[in-house]
Amino acid sequence: MHKQALSNYVEGEQHRLVEGWLGDGAISLILAADRRQKAAGVRGPVLEIGVHHGRLFLLFAMLARSDEKALALDLFEDQHLNIDWSGRGDRAALWKNIDTYLGDRERVIAIRANSLDLGPNSLDEHLSGQKVRLLSVDGGHTREHVLNDLALASAWLHADGIVFVDDFYNADWPGVNEGVVRYLTDPAHGLAPLCYGDNKLLMCKREGWQSANAWLTTEFLPTCAAYKKVAFCDYETYHVTPPAPSTV
Ligand SMILES: C[S@@+](CC[C@H](N)C(=O)[O-])C[C@H]1O[C@@H](n2cnc3c(N)ncnc32)[C@H](O)[C@@H]1O
């Protein structure tokens, strides 16, 4: 883990210098999930689908331990396949930001791919049998992309992993909500919703929902500035206003 880089990025607000989309509340949600996993000894790579210039991905990479890979998957040079113009992956900008704010490239792997072409085994060479513990779904924002990327996330996720779905309840990107709702109404869905706030929906493995919900309600919600219990697709879920981000 890159402790000093992380503190500079979060408390030092360097994340604001990286082009992209990542709110303070979203940072808090990611830090809280990482803290829970580390307390429970959960290990595994971190992965983002749709990195743009790496604003969120850098946070994931800083949280990764020295033996955990950080995988950045994007269309990169294939922007003609970016059908809804949800950002624009730029490999050079990503590496520049990694050099500037993370400080080394050791465990970072940039993967050029259209997520729509991928299947559960497509990342086998990078995952080496491991499951992903932190996974951001922020690629194409159409209903089809979201359905596709949630299915991939479910296949790649650790039993105690957390998925962060971007632009949930963002009025500019209705395809995200449509995709999530369609996904959850399929009886075979493998991911379940936990809470949402600051543009992110957190999901976990369906079989890990009870335990993740227990952590959420006993440990995370009491730290929030506000929260409201809601019913969403037959799940007890929470709309949260996370606390200010802190790495200590
Ligand atoms: C909203 S941006 C990501 C923002 C980023 N997570 C951040 O922290 O700022 C969406 C990204 O998804 C990529 N993308 C769009 N469609 C994709 C697809 N089908 N497969 C992989 N990446 C895709 C785009 O190139 C773009 O970089």
PDB file of all heavy atoms in Angstrom, residues 9 14-23 48 50-58 86-89 93 97 138 166-167 199-200:
ATOM      1  N   TYR A   9      -3.102  12.064  -1.910  1.00  0.00           N
ATOM      2  CA  TYR A   9      -4.192  12.001  -2.890  1.00  0.00           C
ATOM      3  C   TYR A   9      -5.533  12.367  -2.260  1.00  0.00           C
ATOM      4  O   TYR A   9      -6.337  13.072  -2.858  1.00  0.00           O
ATOM      5  CB  TYR A   9      -4.260  10.586  -3.473  1.00  0.00           C
ATOM      6  CG  TYR A   9      -4.938  10.485  -4.810  1.00  0.00           C
ATOM      7  CD1 TYR A   9      -4.393  11.115  -5.924  1.00  0.00           C
ATOM      8  CD2 TYR A   9      -6.108   9.755  -4.977  1.00  0.00           C
ATOM      9  CE1 TYR A   9      -5.001  11.019  -7.166  1.00  0.00           C
ATOM     10  CE2 TYR A   9      -6.727   9.655  -6.216  1.00  0.00           C
ATOM     11  CZ  TYR A   9      -6.171  10.289  -7.305  1.00  0.00           C
ATOM     12  OH  TYR A   9      -6.771  10.196  -8.541  1.00  0.00           O
ATOM     13  N   GLN A  14      -4.977  15.790  -3.978  1.00  0.00           N
ATOM     14  CA  GLN A  14      -4.368  15.679  -5.311  1.00  0.00           C
ATOM     15  C   GLN A  14      -5.328  15.064  -6.325  1.00  0.00           C
ATOM     16  O   GLN A  14      -5.170  15.261  -7.529  1.00  0.00           O
ATOM     17  CB  GLN A  14      -3.088  14.847  -5.228  1.00  0.00           C
ATOM     18  CG  GLN A  14      -1.914  15.574  -4.607  1.00  0.00           C
ATOM     19  CD  GLN A  14      -0.662  14.731  -4.608  1.00  0.00           C
ATOM     20  OE1 GLN A  14      -0.715  13.507  -4.755  1.00  0.00           O
ATOM     21  NE2 GLN A  14       0.479  15.379  -4.437  1.00  0.00           N
ATOM     22  N   HIS A  15      -6.310  14.299  -5.827  1.00  0.00           N
ATOM     23  CA  HIS A  15      -7.253  13.666  -6.763  1.00  0.00           C
ATOM     24  C   HIS A  15      -7.974  14.708  -7.611  1.00  0.00           C
ATOM     25  O   HIS A  15      -8.374  14.432  -8.743  1.00  0.00           O
ATOM     26  CB  HIS A  15      -8.257  12.793  -6.003  1.00  0.00           C
ATOM     27  CG  HIS A  15      -9.176  13.547  -5.092  1.00  0.00           C
ATOM     28  ND1 HIS A  15     -10.416  13.980  -5.474  1.00  0.00           N
ATOM     29  CD2 HIS A  15      -9.014  13.967  -3.815  1.00  0.00           C
ATOM     30  CE1 HIS A  15     -10.988  14.620  -4.468  1.00  0.00           C
ATOM     31  NE2 HIS A  15     -10.161  14.622  -3.443  1.00  0.00           N
ATOM     32  N   ARG A  16      -8.099  15.924  -7.070  1.00  0.00           N
ATOM     33  CA  ARG A  16      -8.782  16.980  -7.834  1.00  0.00           C
ATOM     34  C   ARG A  16      -7.960  17.419  -9.048  1.00  0.00           C
ATOM     35  O   ARG A  16      -8.477  18.071  -9.950  1.00  0.00           O
ATOM     36  CB  ARG A  16      -9.059  18.196  -6.947  1.00  0.00           C
ATOM     37  CG  ARG A  16      -9.984  17.877  -5.786  1.00  0.00           C
ATOM     38  CD  ARG A  16     -10.506  19.130  -5.102  1.00  0.00           C
ATOM     39  NE  ARG A  16     -10.960  18.812  -3.749  1.00  0.00           N
ATOM     40  CZ  ARG A  16     -12.092  18.158  -3.471  1.00  0.00           C
ATOM     41  NH1 ARG A  16     -12.873  17.765  -4.452  1.00  0.00           N
ATOM     42  NH2 ARG A  16     -12.420  17.887  -2.225  1.00  0.00           N
ATOM     43  N   LEU A  17      -6.667  17.077  -9.053  1.00  0.00           N
ATOM     44  CA  LEU A  17      -5.801  17.471 -10.168  1.00  0.00           C
ATOM     45  C   LEU A  17      -5.850  16.473 -11.325  1.00  0.00           C
ATOM     46  O   LEU A  17      -5.279  16.705 -12.385  1.00  0.00           O
ATOM     47  CB  LEU A  17      -4.344  17.610  -9.677  1.00  0.00           C
ATOM     48  CG  LEU A  17      -4.151  18.564  -8.484  1.00  0.00           C
ATOM     49  CD1 LEU A  17      -2.714  18.520  -7.990  1.00  0.00           C
ATOM     50  CD2 LEU A  17      -4.539  19.988  -8.883  1.00  0.00           C
ATOM     51  N   VAL A  18      -6.509  15.333 -11.095  1.00  0.00           N
ATOM     52  CA  VAL A  18      -6.612  14.307 -12.143  1.00  0.00           C
ATOM     53  C   VAL A  18      -7.966  14.463 -12.824  1.00  0.00           C
ATOM     54  O   VAL A  18      -9.005  14.442 -12.145  1.00  0.00           O
ATOM     55  CB  VAL A  18      -6.491  12.890 -11.532  1.00  0.00           C
ATOM     56  CG1 VAL A  18      -6.681  11.829 -12.615  1.00  0.00           C
ATOM     57  CG2 VAL A  18      -5.143  12.728 -10.846  1.00  0.00           C
ATOM     58  N   GLU A  19      -7.951  14.613 -14.136  1.00  0.00           N
ATOM     59  CA  GLU A  19      -9.223  14.764 -14.848  1.00  0.00           C
ATOM     60  C   GLU A  19     -10.075  13.506 -14.672  1.00  0.00           C
ATOM     61  O   GLU A  19      -9.558  12.382 -14.779  1.00  0.00           O
ATOM     62  CB  GLU A  19      -8.956  15.002 -16.338  1.00  0.00           C
ATOM     63  CG  GLU A  19     -10.240  15.305 -17.095  1.00  0.00           C
ATOM     64  CD  GLU A  19      -9.993  15.489 -18.580  1.00  0.00           C
ATOM     65  OE1 GLU A  19      -9.249  16.417 -18.938  1.00  0.00           O
ATOM     66  OE2 GLU A  19     -10.557  14.707 -19.362  1.00  0.00           O
ATOM     67  N   GLY A  20     -11.345  13.696 -14.391  1.00  0.00           N
ATOM     68  CA  GLY A  20     -12.227  12.543 -14.232  1.00  0.00           C
ATOM     69  C   GLY A  20     -13.325  12.845 -13.247  1.00  0.00           C
ATOM     70  O   GLY A  20     -13.623  14.012 -12.969  1.00  0.00           O
ATOM     71  N   TRP A  21     -13.936  11.797 -12.723  1.00  0.00           N
ATOM     72  CA  TRP A  21     -15.125  11.950 -11.888  1.00  0.00           C
ATOM     73  C   TRP A  21     -14.983  11.090 -10.639  1.00  0.00           C
ATOM     74  O   TRP A  21     -14.977   9.857 -10.712  1.00  0.00           O
ATOM     75  CB  TRP A  21     -16.368  11.528 -12.678  1.00  0.00           C
ATOM     76  CG  TRP A  21     -16.563  12.347 -13.909  1.00  0.00           C
ATOM     77  CD1 TRP A  21     -17.293  13.494 -14.018  1.00  0.00           C
ATOM     78  CD2 TRP A  21     -15.979  12.119 -15.211  1.00  0.00           C
ATOM     79  NE1 TRP A  21     -17.216  13.975 -15.299  1.00  0.00           N
ATOM     80  CE2 TRP A  21     -16.431  13.157 -16.057  1.00  0.00           C
ATOM     81  CE3 TRP A  21     -15.147  11.131 -15.744  1.00  0.00           C
ATOM     82  CZ2 TRP A  21     -16.057  13.239 -17.394  1.00  0.00           C
ATOM     83  CZ3 TRP A  21     -14.768  11.207 -17.066  1.00  0.00           C
ATOM     84  CH2 TRP A  21     -15.230  12.259 -17.882  1.00  0.00           C
ATOM     85  N   LEU A  22     -14.848  11.742  -9.503  1.00  0.00           N
ATOM     86  CA  LEU A  22     -14.753  11.025  -8.227  1.00  0.00           C
ATOM     87  C   LEU A  22     -15.015  12.022  -7.108  1.00  0.00           C
ATOM     88  O   LEU A  22     -14.194  12.909  -6.855  1.00  0.00           O
ATOM     89  CB  LEU A  22     -13.350  10.414  -8.056  1.00  0.00           C
ATOM     90  CG  LEU A  22     -13.121   9.634  -6.766  1.00  0.00           C
ATOM     91  CD1 LEU A  22     -13.946   8.347  -6.741  1.00  0.00           C
ATOM     92  CD2 LEU A  22     -11.635   9.287  -6.599  1.00  0.00           C
ATOM     93  N   GLY A  23     -16.158  11.881  -6.446  1.00  0.00           N
ATOM     94  CA  GLY A  23     -16.522  12.806  -5.376  1.00  0.00           C
ATOM     95  C   GLY A  23     -15.922  12.389  -4.043  1.00  0.00           C
ATOM     96  O   GLY A  23     -15.458  11.257  -3.878  1.00  0.00           O
ATOM     97  N   GLU A  48     -10.586  -1.668 -12.396  1.00  0.00           N
ATOM     98  CA  GLU A  48     -11.626  -0.748 -12.864  1.00  0.00           C
ATOM     99  C   GLU A  48     -11.914  -0.994 -14.338  1.00  0.00           C
ATOM    100  O   GLU A  48     -10.992  -1.104 -15.162  1.00  0.00           O
ATOM    101  CB  GLU A  48     -11.230   0.725 -12.659  1.00  0.00           C
ATOM    102  CG  GLU A  48     -12.300   1.656 -13.268  1.00  0.00           C
ATOM    103  CD  GLU A  48     -12.317   3.061 -12.714  1.00  0.00           C
ATOM    104  OE1 GLU A  48     -11.294   3.745 -12.850  1.00  0.00           O
ATOM    105  OE2 GLU A  48     -13.369   3.465 -12.163  1.00  0.00           O
ATOM    106  N   GLY A  50     -13.200   1.017 -17.270  1.00  0.00           N
ATOM    107  CA  GLY A  50     -13.455   2.418 -17.638  1.00  0.00           C
ATOM    108  C   GLY A  50     -12.675   3.363 -16.747  1.00  0.00           C
ATOM    109  O   GLY A  50     -13.140   3.785 -15.695  1.00  0.00           O
ATOM    110  N   VAL A  51     -11.458   3.711 -17.160  1.00  0.00           N
ATOM    111  CA  VAL A  51     -10.577   4.476 -16.258  1.00  0.00           C
ATOM    112  C   VAL A  51     -10.405   5.944 -16.652  1.00  0.00           C
ATOM    113  O   VAL A  51      -9.936   6.745 -15.838  1.00  0.00           O
ATOM    114  CB  VAL A  51      -9.177   3.812 -16.141  1.00  0.00           C
ATOM    115  CG1 VAL A  51      -9.287   2.442 -15.525  1.00  0.00           C
ATOM    116  CG2 VAL A  51      -8.460   3.749 -17.481  1.00  0.00           C
ATOM    117  N   HIS A  52     -10.710   6.299 -17.913  1.00  0.00           N
ATOM    118  CA  HIS A  52     -10.492   7.678 -18.382  1.00  0.00           C
ATOM    119  C   HIS A  52      -9.021   8.046 -18.108  1.00  0.00           C
ATOM    120  O   HIS A  52      -8.134   7.456 -18.689  1.00  0.00           O
ATOM    121  CB  HIS A  52     -11.501   8.607 -17.716  1.00  0.00           C
ATOM    122  CG  HIS A  52     -11.540   9.988 -18.292  1.00  0.00           C
ATOM    123  ND1 HIS A  52     -11.870  10.258 -19.587  1.00  0.00           N
ATOM    124  CD2 HIS A  52     -11.278  11.189 -17.718  1.00  0.00           C
ATOM    125  CE1 HIS A  52     -11.820  11.558 -19.808  1.00  0.00           C
ATOM    126  NE2 HIS A  52     -11.456  12.150 -18.689  1.00  0.00           N
ATOM    127  N   HIS A  53      -8.747   9.009 -17.217  1.00  0.00           N
ATOM    128  CA  HIS A  53      -7.353   9.369 -16.926  1.00  0.00           C
ATOM    129  C   HIS A  53      -6.888   8.796 -15.581  1.00  0.00           C
ATOM    130  O   HIS A  53      -5.819   9.149 -15.095  1.00  0.00           O
ATOM    131  CB  HIS A  53      -7.179  10.884 -16.914  1.00  0.00           C
ATOM    132  CG  HIS A  53      -7.403  11.523 -18.257  1.00  0.00           C
ATOM    133  ND1 HIS A  53      -7.117  12.845 -18.519  1.00  0.00           N
ATOM    134  CD2 HIS A  53      -7.894  11.024 -19.429  1.00  0.00           C
ATOM    135  CE1 HIS A  53      -7.427  13.140 -19.775  1.00  0.00           C
ATOM    136  NE2 HIS A  53      -7.911  12.055 -20.347  1.00  0.00           N
ATOM    137  N   GLY A  54      -7.750   7.989 -14.944  1.00  0.00           N
ATOM    138  CA  GLY A  54      -7.312   7.275 -13.734  1.00  0.00           C
ATOM    139  C   GLY A  54      -7.685   7.894 -12.407  1.00  0.00           C
ATOM    140  O   GLY A  54      -7.150   7.501 -11.369  1.00  0.00           O
ATOM    141  N   ARG A  55      -8.616   8.830 -12.403  1.00  0.00           N
ATOM    142  CA  ARG A  55      -8.919   9.507 -11.132  1.00  0.00           C
ATOM    143  C   ARG A  55      -9.329   8.518 -10.025  1.00  0.00           C
ATOM    144  O   ARG A  55      -8.798   8.561  -8.922  1.00  0.00           O
ATOM    145  CB  ARG A  55      -9.999  10.555 -11.353  1.00  0.00           C
ATOM    146  CG  ARG A  55     -10.251  11.379 -10.113  1.00  0.00           C
ATOM    147  CD  ARG A  55     -10.929  12.673 -10.462  1.00  0.00           C
ATOM    148  NE  ARG A  55     -11.336  13.377  -9.264  1.00  0.00           N
ATOM    149  CZ  ARG A  55     -11.840  14.600  -9.245  1.00  0.00           C
ATOM    150  NH1 ARG A  55     -11.996  15.251 -10.370  1.00  0.00           N
ATOM    151  NH2 ARG A  55     -12.189  15.172  -8.128  1.00  0.00           N
ATOM    152  N   LEU A  56     -10.274   7.640 -10.309  1.00  0.00           N
ATOM    153  CA  LEU A  56     -10.646   6.632  -9.304  1.00  0.00           C
ATOM    154  C   LEU A  56      -9.608   5.518  -9.266  1.00  0.00           C
ATOM    155  O   LEU A  56      -9.227   5.047  -8.189  1.00  0.00           O
ATOM    156  CB  LEU A  56     -12.031   6.053  -9.609  1.00  0.00           C
ATOM    157  CG  LEU A  56     -12.556   5.017  -8.602  1.00  0.00           C
ATOM    158  CD1 LEU A  56     -14.081   5.070  -8.505  1.00  0.00           C
ATOM    159  CD2 LEU A  56     -12.121   3.581  -8.921  1.00  0.00           C
ATOM    160  N   PHE A  57      -9.133   5.116 -10.419  1.00  0.00           N
ATOM    161  CA  PHE A  57      -8.198   3.986 -10.477  1.00  0.00           C
ATOM    162  C   PHE A  57      -6.958   4.230  -9.619  1.00  0.00           C
ATOM    163  O   PHE A  57      -6.448   3.316  -8.967  1.00  0.00           O
ATOM    164  CB  PHE A  57      -7.790   3.722 -11.937  1.00  0.00           C
ATOM    165  CG  PHE A  57      -6.756   2.642 -12.039  1.00  0.00           C
ATOM    166  CD1 PHE A  57      -7.108   1.314 -11.870  1.00  0.00           C
ATOM    167  CD2 PHE A  57      -5.422   2.953 -12.262  1.00  0.00           C
ATOM    168  CE1 PHE A  57      -6.153   0.312 -11.916  1.00  0.00           C
ATOM    169  CE2 PHE A  57      -4.459   1.960 -12.305  1.00  0.00           C
ATOM    170  CZ  PHE A  57      -4.819   0.639 -12.142  1.00  0.00           C
ATOM    171  N   LEU A  58      -6.462   5.459  -9.603  1.00  0.00           N
ATOM    172  CA  LEU A  58      -5.273   5.769  -8.785  1.00  0.00           C
ATOM    173  C   LEU A  58      -5.537   5.485  -7.315  1.00  0.00           C
ATOM    174  O   LEU A  58      -4.667   4.974  -6.595  1.00  0.00           O
ATOM    175  CB  LEU A  58      -4.876   7.235  -8.975  1.00  0.00           C
ATOM    176  CG  LEU A  58      -4.117   7.524 -10.263  1.00  0.00           C
ATOM    177  CD1 LEU A  58      -4.035   9.018 -10.511  1.00  0.00           C
ATOM    178  CD2 LEU A  58      -2.724   6.946 -10.187  1.00  0.00           C
ATOM    179  N   SER A  86     -18.934   8.274 -22.830  1.00  0.00           N
ATOM    180  CA  SER A  86     -18.860   8.406 -21.370  1.00  0.00           C
ATOM    181  C   SER A  86     -17.376   8.498 -20.994  1.00  0.00           C
ATOM    182  O   SER A  86     -16.762   7.542 -20.592  1.00  0.00           O
ATOM    183  CB  SER A  86     -19.476   7.164 -20.722  1.00  0.00           C
ATOM    184  OG  SER A  86     -18.852   5.994 -21.232  1.00  0.00           O
ATOM    185  N   GLY A  87     -16.810   9.683 -21.153  1.00  0.00           N
ATOM    186  CA  GLY A  87     -15.373   9.829 -20.917  1.00  0.00           C
ATOM    187  C   GLY A  87     -14.587   9.334 -22.124  1.00  0.00           C
ATOM    188  O   GLY A  87     -15.162   8.915 -23.139  1.00  0.00           O
ATOM    189  N   ARG A  88     -13.273   9.362 -22.000  1.00  0.00           N
ATOM    190  CA  ARG A  88     -12.410   9.022 -23.129  1.00  0.00           C
ATOM    191  C   ARG A  88     -11.086   8.511 -22.574  1.00  0.00           C
ATOM    192  O   ARG A  88     -10.221   9.289 -22.169  1.00  0.00           O
ATOM    193  CB  ARG A  88     -12.185  10.301 -23.954  1.00  0.00           C
ATOM    194  CG  ARG A  88     -11.566  10.071 -25.281  1.00  0.00           C
ATOM    195  CD  ARG A  88     -11.434  11.366 -26.067  1.00  0.00           C
ATOM    196  NE  ARG A  88     -10.704  11.086 -27.287  1.00  0.00           N
ATOM    197  CZ  ARG A  88     -11.249  10.591 -28.395  1.00  0.00           C
ATOM    198  NH1 ARG A  88     -12.531  10.366 -28.437  1.00  0.00           N
ATOM    199  NH2 ARG A  88     -10.513  10.332 -29.449  1.00  0.00           N
ATOM    200  N   GLY A  89     -10.956   7.199 -22.514  1.00  0.00           N
ATOM    201  CA  GLY A  89      -9.747   6.594 -21.954  1.00  0.00           C
ATOM    202  C   GLY A  89      -8.500   7.061 -22.682  1.00  0.00           C
ATOM    203  O   GLY A  89      -8.487   7.092 -23.909  1.00  0.00           O
ATOM    204  N   ALA A  93      -2.220   9.737 -20.619  1.00  0.00           N
ATOM    205  CA  ALA A  93      -2.609  10.523 -19.445  1.00  0.00           C
ATOM    206  C   ALA A  93      -2.642   9.639 -18.199  1.00  0.00           C
ATOM    207  O   ALA A  93      -2.231  10.060 -17.112  1.00  0.00           O
ATOM    208  CB  ALA A  93      -3.979  11.158 -19.688  1.00  0.00           C
ATOM    209  N   ASN A  97      -0.318  10.221 -14.900  1.00  0.00           N
ATOM    210  CA  ASN A  97      -0.894  10.399 -13.561  1.00  0.00           C
ATOM    211  C   ASN A  97      -0.370   9.340 -12.586  1.00  0.00           C
ATOM    212  O   ASN A  97      -0.158   9.632 -11.406  1.00  0.00           O
ATOM    213  CB  ASN A  97      -2.426  10.360 -13.639  1.00  0.00           C
ATOM    214  CG  ASN A  97      -2.979  11.622 -14.284  1.00  0.00           C
ATOM    215  OD1 ASN A  97      -2.396  12.696 -14.149  1.00  0.00           O
ATOM    216  ND2 ASN A  97      -4.099  11.500 -14.991  1.00  0.00           N
ATOM    217  N   ASP A 138     -17.347   1.419 -14.518  1.00  0.00           N
ATOM    218  CA  ASP A 138     -17.489   2.802 -15.002  1.00  0.00           C
ATOM    219  C   ASP A 138     -17.091   2.892 -16.478  1.00  0.00           C
ATOM    220  O   ASP A 138     -16.456   3.837 -16.909  1.00  0.00           O
ATOM    221  CB  ASP A 138     -16.616   3.724 -14.130  1.00  0.00           C
ATOM    222  CG  ASP A 138     -16.993   5.189 -14.283  1.00  0.00           C
ATOM    223  OD1 ASP A 138     -17.974   5.492 -14.987  1.00  0.00           O
ATOM    224  OD2 ASP A 138     -16.291   6.033 -13.709  1.00  0.00           O
ATOM    225  N   ASP A 166     -20.813   3.250 -11.158  1.00  0.00           N
ATOM    226  CA  ASP A 166     -20.822   4.710 -11.293  1.00  0.00           C
ATOM    227  C   ASP A 166     -22.127   5.225 -11.902  1.00  0.00           C
ATOM    228  O   ASP A 166     -22.800   4.530 -12.667  1.00  0.00           O
ATOM    229  CB  ASP A 166     -19.647   5.144 -12.176  1.00  0.00           C
ATOM    230  CG  ASP A 166     -19.454   6.646 -12.128  1.00  0.00           C
ATOM    231  OD1 ASP A 166     -19.251   7.167 -11.023  1.00  0.00           O
ATOM    232  OD2 ASP A 166     -19.535   7.296 -13.185  1.00  0.00           O
ATOM    233  N   ASP A 167     -22.447   6.453 -11.547  1.00  0.00           N
ATOM    234  CA  ASP A 167     -23.576   7.187 -12.135  1.00  0.00           C
ATOM    235  C   ASP A 167     -24.939   6.572 -11.847  1.00  0.00           C
ATOM    236  O   ASP A 167     -25.894   6.760 -12.614  1.00  0.00           O
ATOM    237  CB  ASP A 167     -23.374   7.407 -13.649  1.00  0.00           C
ATOM    238  CG  ASP A 167     -22.386   8.542 -13.898  1.00  0.00           C
ATOM    239  OD1 ASP A 167     -22.394   9.503 -13.111  1.00  0.00           O
ATOM    240  OD2 ASP A 167     -21.603   8.450 -14.848  1.00  0.00           O
ATOM    241  N   ASN A 199     -23.188   9.260  -6.175  1.00  0.00           N
ATOM    242  CA  ASN A 199     -23.057   8.759  -7.555  1.00  0.00           C
ATOM    243  C   ASN A 199     -22.591   7.303  -7.656  1.00  0.00           C
ATOM    244  O   ASN A 199     -22.372   6.805  -8.749  1.00  0.00           O
ATOM    245  CB  ASN A 199     -22.096   9.642  -8.350  1.00  0.00           C
ATOM    246  CG  ASN A 199     -22.603   9.973  -9.732  1.00  0.00           C
ATOM    247  OD1 ASN A 199     -23.811  10.054  -9.953  1.00  0.00           O
ATOM    248  ND2 ASN A 199     -21.693  10.144 -10.673  1.00  0.00           N
ATOM    249  N   LYS A 200     -22.390   6.621  -6.531  1.00  0.00           N
ATOM    250  CA  LYS A 200     -21.928   5.226  -6.576  1.00  0.00           C
ATOM    251  C   LYS A 200     -22.941   4.308  -5.923  1.00  0.00           C
ATOM    252  O   LYS A 200     -23.467   4.621  -4.838  1.00  0.00           O
ATOM    253  CB  LYS A 200     -20.601   5.052  -5.815  1.00  0.00           C
ATOM    254  CG  LYS A 200     -19.451   5.871  -6.333  1.00  0.00           C
ATOM    255  CD  LYS A 200     -18.893   5.352  -7.627  1.00  0.00           C
ATOM    256  CE  LYS A 200     -17.757   6.220  -8.132  1.00  0.00           C
ATOM    257  NZ  LYS A 200     -17.439   6.012  -9.540  1.00  0.00           N
TER     258      LYS A 200
END
